[in-house]
Amino acid sequence: MRDWQIVASSASQRLALRYLLGARLAGSAGTVDYLARQLALMPGKAGPPALAFSVAPVLNYDRNINDGIPSDTVVIGGLPFRISEDGQAKSGIVLGVQASANVRAKVLRGLAWDVSAKFNVEHAPRWSYDTVSGIGATCLLYTSDNWVSLDICALHIRRSAENSDESRNFRSIRLGKVFSFRDTLAETALTVQTQTRLGQTQLSVTGSGTWFRPGGNLYSVSLGVGQEKSGVSFPTLTARLGLATELWGKPVNFEIGYLEERGARFFGSDKDDRTVSLSIRRPVTERMTAEIVAQRTISSVAEYSESSLEMNFSFTGLTFR
């Protein structure tokens, strides 16, 4: 049971299904059937689409609710200028509600079509600041009998607040493979993605790997590089190292991350940011997970260099299928 808790907390549906098929855990038949249907691997004709709706509360601490400047002054040409109260970054607790919906249908054996949507309404009581955001995505997910996978996805994000309104579009192709060597299960993937925001489109490539040995821990790693675009901030280098294990009877996820963002301009100067982060995530109850995130950002614009420590909570909502 320990191994399954670790795999379920961090692995993809494909890796989780491959593990269960080999482990043959008592009482896992229902989960195997669910995952096989999600991946369109069940024999026979396509049945009715699987529908799911979920509603959950939102409880987070946001150190920059209004996307402001994390300083009360900026230095331009050697002269200090004071930032207005509205332009300064505001931090505080964010409360809200999240509603999501998902439809997944079998097209052919091994080929599933997935459509999902998520809608958030959030409020920061300290500043009376409201945010509305939405995510819509559609994917074609293919899994072959020898565990080679190909996913083609399109995703749109829209966020509206009192002083901003921004949207982003993502298109991606992911080629992956689940395999075993000796007594270790592993999954590798290569993802090519485009991201469009503020009239600019960036191309990026990310390689990733996950591996798990029964009785041990689950490890994951990824490395991504992206184009630099003038005038718009995009991630140009990302790296991540993850560990999933068990502590005090529950799965715990540790992650170290590195992010470089380039391309933005700040009062005529280039703004390049480098961020190092460490996060720890653990379930508190069956429906609530806590995450602590510590990060340090070093920016070419001194006002954006900062350290932070945050605690966030995510909830498994009431789900209707």
Side-chain angles (χ1 to χ4, degrees), residues 53-54 71-72 89 93 101 108 110 115 121 123 127 138 140 159 211 224 236 252-253 263-264 271 284 294 297 305 312:
F53 303 91
S54 178
S71 176
D72 58 0
I93 294 174
L108 301 168
V115 179
V121 178
H123 175 70
W127 306 106
T138 182
L140 282 174
R159 181 179 183 273
W211 63 97
T236 54
V252 180
N253 297 82
K271 179 179 176 294
V284 179
T297 298
S305 295
N312 299 315

Side-chain angles (χ1 to χ4, degrees), residues 52 100-104 114-118 135-139 154-156:
S100 60
N102 178 262
V103 180
R104 186 170 291 197
D114 185 273
V115 179
S116 62
K118 186 181 295 184
I135 301 175
T138 182
C139 294
L155 182 145
H156 176 75

Side-chain angles (χ1 to χ4, degrees), residues 272-312:
D272 301 328
D273 299 332
R274 292 175 293 160
T275 301
V276 178
S277 62
L278 170 65
S279 66
I280 304 173
R281 188 176 76 250
R282 183 180 188 270
V284 179
T285 68
E286 289 186 2
R287 291 190 174 274
M288 183 173 72
T289 299
E291 182 180 39
I292 298 175
V293 182
Q295 65 179 33
R296 171 63 177 164
T297 298
I298 299 175
S299 176
S300 60
V301 176
E303 290 79 7
Y304 282 87
S305 295
E306 60 177 339
S307 300
S308 65
L309 179 65
E310 300 178 6
M311 173 172 278
N312 299 315

Side-chain angles (χ1 to χ4, degrees), residues 27-65:
S28 66
T31 305
V32 169
D33 180 77
Y34 170 76
L35 291 173
R37 290 184 183 280
Q38 286 285 292
L39 297 171
L41 292 174
M42 295 293 287
K45 295 182 180 180
L51 307 176
F53 303 91
S54 178
V55 179
V58 173
L59 173 60
N60 291 314
Y61 180 85
D62 193 334
R63 72 182 190 281
N64 195 344
I65 297 168

